[in-house]
Amino acid sequence: MKKILAIFILLSTGISQAQSSIPSNYFKNPLDIDLVLAGYFGELRSNHFHSGFDIKTQQRQGINVIAAGDGYISRINISNYGYGKALYIQHPNGYTTVYGHLKKFSPEIEAYIKKLQYAKESYEIEVFPEAKDLALNQGDLIAYSGNTGGSGGPHLHFEIRDGQQRPMNPALFGIDIKDTQAPIINSLYVYPLGEEAQVNGSAQRQRLKLTPLSDGSFKAEEIDACGEIGFGISTFDRQDGAPNQNGIYKIETKLNGDKVFEIKMDKFSFAETRHINQLIDYEYYSSNNSRITKLYRGSNNPLSIYEEVVNNGTLDIKDSLDYMFNISVADFKGNIKMIRIPIKGKQSLVRNPKNIKKTDYFVQANEAFSTENGPIDVYIPKSSLYEDTYLDIEFKGDTIYLNEDNIPIQNYITIGFDVSKYNAEDRDKMFIAKLNKRGRPSYSSTKKKANRFTTGVRNFGTYTLASDKNAPSIYPVNFKDGQWISSNKDISLKISDDLSGINSFRATVNGKWILMEYEYKNNTITHDFSDDVVTETENILKVIVTDNVGNSKTYEATFFRK
């Protein structure tokens, strides 16, 4: 109780004061193994920045995860996706540490959360314990590393957040990662931005040739340019001990020795993270699956990772003047890779103008937009797009081609369908789907109200009405109907749905709800017999799986245990 009281006292003295300077020796490594990274803080991911360190766990699960500091478990979140099984520790200095993709929790925490899961009859759960419930000391065992949620392999996702729940770079707190290698530069691009701007007689993006120099830096080919231009770079960092292409820490640019642009991956907020699509060349990414970091800042860009920006990071190149533009890419340890780009100001005739396809649908970023044709309507709220743009929209029956997915969307746009021509029975099994390039439909969360279906989307593409009249499938994995399974530690089944997707499942034994852990990556649900809820010799298992349009499949079997 003294420890718990101390926590309350420290918290009440003012979190903001505790965070006036970053404590570099407060937190301990969350794993008792050498820290090798699979992912770095601020790394460029799909629609978001990576919010912590992905720490390798020697390609296995079950490594002890320990509390990085004194505190208490302030949040437990178990989800099929995202962080999977995750713990949040509130520390007396106002910071929060996060531990994700866990296999299971320590015995005390596991017992605490399973009691609540059984009370709620749900695998997915989120709770916020009080300080007195699960207090702990630095170094205490809190969990075992795993691969749950949206993990692509066994590892520990570790975060440190400030008092406003903004993720911060763990390296700032002394979480040390060995790194003796300079960042890697893949490619360099130049962008004519102004209406009259051109580079080498072209108004389009160009890739520049890089020549390695003896000091490890690069020199780019000299360019002739005039007007407002900007640059972009494809780069990554590689720490010692692993080949992973991780995110960089800092990029800085200078024109004739004067700094014009800097980004640094120290801290960001979750509210801004989707604006990553303004940092990268989204059009290039959509067609090449490779991210170019733009070294200039567009309008209405709220990202806080910009440290110092002059004239939005763009260069105003004048005719008949010479310039030297330098780019430096650095990791947290200070290893640096440089690029030097000579620029000759030269007004040239534009032989290769920008490709702007004008259509009947022009959307202004600061105004709402709507259109409809036949049974389909589209509404784009104000500020959903970053820039004014023409959209390519085509209506055909129950299908809408809503532009190529090469323009980023910040806020949800709504697509609506009038389904009054369909009878109630057909509508019951219908949903709005996005079609991939092969025409394969995937479920888009569909709201149904009388004769109108709507969906909110954040990606352009082709959307249509689809129908799913087939129930999900259920197959046993490690047992058979009528089998004795006394030696089994668990019971597992495969569940899947080939069209609208799994919405929910429920399992009972002898009429009593049992906890089934869902692993979507291999379509399995598993019950651990250590929960001690299956106590009879003869047991009737019943599993009901329902898809996103309400089709259900029931599986029943009998198994025996001593």
Side-chain angles (χ1 to χ4, degrees), residues 70-300:
D70 294 348
Y72 69 94
I73 303 294
S74 58
R75 179 183 176 193
I76 305 172
N77 190 35
I78 299 178
S79 172
N80 295 327
Y81 309 100
Y83 291 174
K85 294 184 179 182
L87 290 177
Y88 299 70
I89 298 178
Q90 179 67 54
H91 301 280
N93 62 356
Y95 293 96
T96 301
T97 51
V98 183
Y99 313 76
H101 306 307
L102 304 170
K103 181 179 182 180
K104 63 187 302 183
F105 306 127
S106 66
E108 181 184 5
I109 301 172
E110 190 79 6
Y112 177 92
I113 196 63
K114 280 197 173 182
K115 182 179 179 180
L116 297 174
Q117 286 175 307
Y118 274 95
K120 188 180 177 182
E121 294 192 355
S122 174
Y123 169 66
E124 291 193 293
I125 193 169
E126 182 178 27
V127 297
F128 300 88
E130 297 181 5
K132 60 183 177 58
D133 294 333
L134 296 170
L136 43 81
N137 296 312
Q138 184 181 61
D140 283 354
L141 174 70
I142 58 171
Y144 304 92
S145 67
N147 188 34
T148 56
S151 171
H155 72 276
L156 173 69
H157 175 84
F158 176 71
E159 294 179 21
I160 300 177
R161 299 182 183 180
D162 69 8
Q164 298 179 47
Q165 292 300 298
R166 293 175 297 190
M168 299 182 66
N169 192 330
L172 297 170
F173 296 82
I175 304 299
D176 189 47
I177 306 297
K178 188 176 181 181
D179 186 355
T180 59
Q181 307 173 70
I184 306 296
I185 295 173
N186 289 323
S187 52
L188 174 69
Y189 296 83
V190 60
Y191 296 80
L193 299 174
E195 289 195 13
E196 303 298 325
Q198 55 81 25
V199 175
N200 297 330
S202 173
Q204 297 192 37
R205 174 188 61 221
Q206 298 171 56
R207 181 171 178 172
L208 301 180
K209 181 180 177 181
L210 294 175
T211 301
L213 303 178
S214 58
D215 62 359
S217 63
F218 290 94
K219 182 179 180 181
E221 60 182 291
E222 183 178 86
I223 61 173
D224 294 338
C226 198
E228 184 184 22
I229 67 172
F231 288 85
I233 187 172
S234 172
T235 181
F236 66 88
D237 192 31
R238 180 177 284 144
Q239 289 83 31
D240 294 3
N244 299 73
Q245 297 184 10
N246 297 333
I248 55 87
Y249 175 62
K250 183 173 72 170
I251 303 178
E252 177 183 284
T253 71
K254 292 183 178 181
L255 182 66
N256 295 337
D258 295 327
K259 185 186 292 188
V260 295
F261 179 88
E262 182 182 356
I263 56 174
K264 188 185 293 183
M265 296 300 182
D266 280 341
K267 177 171 64 176
F268 61 86
S269 70
F270 288 109
E272 66 180 292
T273 188
R274 191 176 175 88
H275 287 279
I276 186 176
N277 293 324
Q278 294 201 74
L279 176 69
I280 67 170
D281 182 337
Y282 189 87
E283 181 184 26
Y284 183 89
Y285 170 68
S286 69
S287 58
N288 295 278
N289 198 32
S290 176
R291 295 179 179 90
I292 299 171
T293 300
K294 294 189 292 188
L295 306 182
Y296 57 92
R297 185 175 190 168
S299 58
N300 302 315

Side-chain angles (χ1 to χ4, degrees), residues 483-551:
Q483 185 178 15
W484 281 86
I485 55 172
S486 300
S487 60
N488 281 30
K489 294 182 179 179
D490 55 44
I491 190 169
S492 182
L493 302 96
K494 289 268 189 182
I495 63 172
S496 62
D497 187 82
D498 64 356
L499 193 51
S500 64
I502 300 295
N503 177 268
S504 64
F505 61 89
R506 179 180 175 84
T508 60
V509 169
N510 301 329
K512 182 189 299 183
W513 184 85
I514 61 170
L515 177 64
M516 283 279 193
E517 298 194 2
Y518 180 41
E519 178 49 80
Y520 78 93
K521 296 189 289 291
N522 59 16
N523 298 315
T524 60
I525 55 173
T526 303
H527 173 72
D528 191 331
F529 286 129
S530 67
D531 287 0
D532 291 330
V533 295
V534 178
T535 57
E536 302 294 326
T537 300
E538 180 178 354
N539 300 280
I540 300 173
L541 171 68
K542 183 177 181 180
V543 179
I544 303 172
V545 180
T546 305
D547 65 21
N548 279 304
V549 295
N551 298 307

Side-chain angles (χ1 to χ4, degrees), residues 375-561:
I376 308 174
D377 59 85
V378 177
Y379 176 70
I380 302 178
K382 176 182 176 181
S383 301
S384 294
L385 305 185
Y386 301 130
E387 299 176 349
D388 298 350
T389 187
Y390 288 97
L391 295 182
D392 189 4
I393 305 176
E394 297 177 13
F395 299 88
K396 187 176 180 180
D398 285 334
T399 300
I400 177 174
Y401 171 74
L402 186 57
N403 209 81
E404 184 181 352
D405 186 18
N406 58 5
I407 298 173
I409 301 174
Q410 177 64 25
N411 301 317
Y412 282 98
I413 67 177
T414 300
I415 305 174
F417 289 79
D418 181 343
V419 294
S420 59
K421 66 181 180 180
Y422 296 97
N423 62 46
E425 183 179 352
D426 288 338
R427 290 199 302 267
D428 189 50
K429 301 303 178 184
M430 292 171 65
F431 61 96
I432 300 174
K434 183 179 182 183
L435 300 181
N436 65 16
K437 293 181 180 179
R438 296 183 179 181
R440 170 73 179 176
S442 61
Y443 180 79
S444 183
S445 184
T446 305
K447 294 182 179 179
K448 300 180 178 182
K449 187 174 182 180
N451 292 325
R452 179 171 167 79
F453 289 3
T454 60
T455 186
V457 302
R458 290 170 111 176
N459 289 92
F460 287 115
T462 301
Y463 293 86
T464 191
L465 289 176
S467 179
D468 182 2
K469 297 183 178 180
N470 297 322
S473 61
I474 311 173
Y475 299 102
V477 173
N478 61 348
F479 72 100
K480 296 179 181 179
D481 185 23
Q483 185 178 15
W484 281 86
I485 55 172
S486 300
S487 60
N488 281 30
K489 294 182 179 179
D490 55 44
I491 190 169
S492 182
L493 302 96
K494 289 268 189 182
I495 63 172
S496 62
D497 187 82
D498 64 356
L499 193 51
S500 64
I502 300 295
N503 177 268
S504 64
F505 61 89
R506 179 180 175 84
T508 60
V509 169
N510 301 329
K512 182 189 299 183
W513 184 85
I514 61 170
L515 177 64
M516 283 279 193
E517 298 194 2
Y518 180 41
E519 178 49 80
Y520 78 93
K521 296 189 289 291
N522 59 16
N523 298 315
T524 60
I525 55 173
T526 303
H527 173 72
D528 191 331
F529 286 129
S530 67
D531 287 0
D532 291 330
V533 295
V534 178
T535 57
E536 302 294 326
T537 300
E538 180 178 354
N539 300 280
I540 300 173
L541 171 68
K542 183 177 181 180
V543 179
I544 303 172
V545 180
T546 305
D547 65 21
N548 279 304
V549 295
N551 298 307
S552 291
K553 179 71 174 288
T554 301
Y555 173 86
E556 291 191 64
T558 300
F559 64 88
F560 300 89
R561 283 177 60 82

Side-chain angles (χ1 to χ4, degrees), residues 27 35 66 194 211 305-306 336 338 370 378 391 399 432 441 462 535:
F27 293 113
L35 300 191
I66 60 177
T211 301
I305 61 171
Y306 297 105
I336 297 176
M338 297 277 299
S370 64
V378 177
L391 295 182
T399 300
I432 300 174
T462 301
T535 57

